[in-house]
Amino acid sequence: MFQTAPIEAASQSELTSQIAARLHTALTTHLQQAYAPDQRKNLRLFSATETADLLGVTGQFLRKCHSDGSLPEPEVIKNGRRFYSGEEILQARHFLEASSRKPGKYLPGRREGDKLQVIQLMNFKGGSAKSTSAIHLCHYLALNGYRVLAIDLDPQGSLTGFCGIQTELEFEGASIYDALRYDDPVPMSEAIVETYFPGLHLTPARLVLSEFETETAVNAGRGVAFFEKLSLAIQSVEGDYDVVVIDSPPALGFLTLTGLYAATSVIVPMTPSMLDLASTQQFVEMTSAYLGVIEDTGVKLDHDFFSFLITRDDPSDIPSQQIVSLMRALFQDRVVGATGLRSTAIGDASMLKMSIYEVARSEMTRSTYDRAKNSMDAVGAEIAGMLQQAWGR
Ligand SMILES: Nc1ncnc2c1ncn2[C@@H]1O[C@H](COP(=O)(O)OP(=O)(O)OP(=O)(O)O)[C@@H](O)[C@H]1O
Ligand SMILES: [Mg+2]
């Protein structure tokens, strides 16, 4: 059971240390309950309807592929109904792509000569749904046949948690800090882990990542420029992925900047409120100043797209809709057309460190689930379209 007695401490450091310890116990207990009995996350199975939708085929076509032997049967068939694992869906993509007349229909990722796409989600406003948007984008892209690397550049490790690694519990492996650190860095490939989600790999973050900020200040002017570090790390594994999705901390420090330099595209998630609008304005102004400093070193930065994404959107809230309209009037197609709708379904899923894609429709009120999933799908599809456009398709 949790300790609930009032905290008594002789100093402020002891007080904060006790608060941290109490929170740590509560968190680990919550996580152990959420992931019991083996404390690992697993991806649920997908119904035949969901699988056909993901593959972009009809249920009838899917059944025909099983009966003519062009697709192996899934392992789980209950009461005559087929259920597919993430691996089986990915395997189906490979089978179908091999016999498809339209290249890229089932595996829409890079083709020869296409450059790796690196999308950074950034905004220094805390809580603008960077991590929530990042995990939904990663899951959407992976489920749709892209090879995705998620990079957690936030020492808070939210994206890492969503990917099933609880740094609060046991986690011994290398993290992004180890690939970026100044002293004896490890190759990026050693800092990447496979996740339980097929098609999605992760470079996790731990709290120690915040050291990158101080180490960069100390090492200024020595060796490789700090802003090149992530880009070089990504280059060393670039052939393994179609898309890299970077989640950033709510700050415009060296971590966010090394991400910005590595990025081929930028998405600024923004909740439509007046405070967030003001904060986003300051953020973009500061970004411009920092980009100028980087460009003054003779580097040319080129982003395929720099777009705003409206998050926690509530169409029934009039003041927020005025801000959405203002953003669209100011920036037209630089604002992603679809929005991340504010939804209890997303909030509830995130309590368990899950995206909406990990929750089965039967576990929630159907209309709530459908609204949330349709909104995340629409955002994912639009960003996938932007990737395709960057590849000239
Ligand atoms: N569409 C949504 N509907 C409901 N709640 C949401 C939605 N998107 C995000 N949230 C909630 O908003 C909170 C902040 O989201 P999130 O952690 O993604 O923001 P962030 O920008 O990554 O925060 P930080 O700046 O701390 O990194 C979380 O509690 C999350 O569950
Ligand atoms: Mg975050």
Side-chain angles (χ1 to χ4, degrees), residues 36-64:
D38 59 359
Q39 292 176 24
R40 291 190 87 103
K41 274 179 95 177
N42 284 309
L43 184 56
R44 68 178 173 97
L45 297 177
F46 292 82
S47 71
T49 312
E50 287 177 306
T51 303
D53 271 357
L54 282 169
L55 295 173
V57 300
T58 60
Q60 195 185 7
F61 178 80
L62 194 57
R63 284 192 295 279
K64 179 189 129 314

Side-chain angles (χ1 to χ4, degrees), residues 176-246:
I176 186 67
Y177 169 73
D178 300 295
L180 297 182
R181 69 183 185 219
Y182 288 82
D183 185 17
D184 199 18
V186 306
M188 182 67 166
S189 57
E190 287 178 23
I192 293 176
V193 289
E194 287 186 20
T195 70
Y196 64 93
F197 207 102
L200 176 61
H201 291 179
L202 166 77
T203 315
R206 314 157 176 261
L207 201 51
V208 66
L209 180 58
S210 53
E211 302 274 317
F212 183 77
E213 301 287 344
T214 27
E215 285 174 16
T216 298
V218 171
N219 285 278
R222 272 188 269 156
V224 171
F226 83 87
F227 54 80
E228 286 184 280
K229 279 191 161 270
L230 185 64
S231 168
L232 291 170
I234 292 173
Q235 270 172 37
S236 69
V237 295
E238 70 98 32
D240 297 340
Y241 302 101
D242 301 313
V243 188
V244 176
V245 175
I246 304 175

Side-chain angles (χ1 to χ4, degrees), residues 28 31-41 164 166 169-170:
T28 47
L31 291 171
Q32 274 156 353
Q33 282 164 355
Y35 300 129
D38 59 359
Q39 292 176 24
R40 291 190 87 103
K41 274 179 95 177
Q166 311 309 335
L169 302 177
E170 289 300 290

Side-chain angles (χ1 to χ4, degrees), residues 130-131 154 158 247-248:
K130 295 177 284 299
S131 305
D154 184 354
S158 312
D247 187 22
S248 335

Side-chain angles (χ1 to χ4, degrees), residues 63-73 95:
R63 284 192 295 279
K64 179 189 129 314
C65 290
H66 289 307
S67 60
D68 69 17
S70 52
L71 275 188
E73 287 286 356
F95 274 113

Side-chain angles (χ1 to χ4, degrees), residues 288-368:
S288 162
Y290 286 130
L291 285 178
V293 173
I294 294 179
E295 281 170 353
D296 286 348
T297 65
V299 169
K300 186 167 176 329
L301 286 158
D302 201 6
H303 290 132
D304 288 320
F305 52 87
F306 187 108
S307 304
F308 295 96
L309 170 66
I310 305 293
T311 58
R312 283 196 283 168
D313 183 24
D314 179 357
S316 68
D317 180 67
I318 293 167
S320 75
Q321 293 313 298
Q322 288 171 341
I323 292 177
V324 176
S325 303
L326 175 66
M327 288 298 289
R328 293 203 192 283
L330 291 172
F331 302 113
Q332 302 92 38
D333 58 2
R334 282 196 187 276
V335 183
V336 177
T339 62
L341 283 185
R342 179 196 293 274
S343 161
T344 49
I346 312 261
D348 290 355
S350 76
M351 286 289 284
L352 291 172
K353 303 204 179 186
M354 283 182 175
S355 77
I356 193 76
Y357 297 109
E358 298 177 79
V359 182
R361 189 166 180 255
S362 55
E363 287 170 32
M364 284 186 176
T365 311
R366 300 246 155 123
S367 53
T368 311

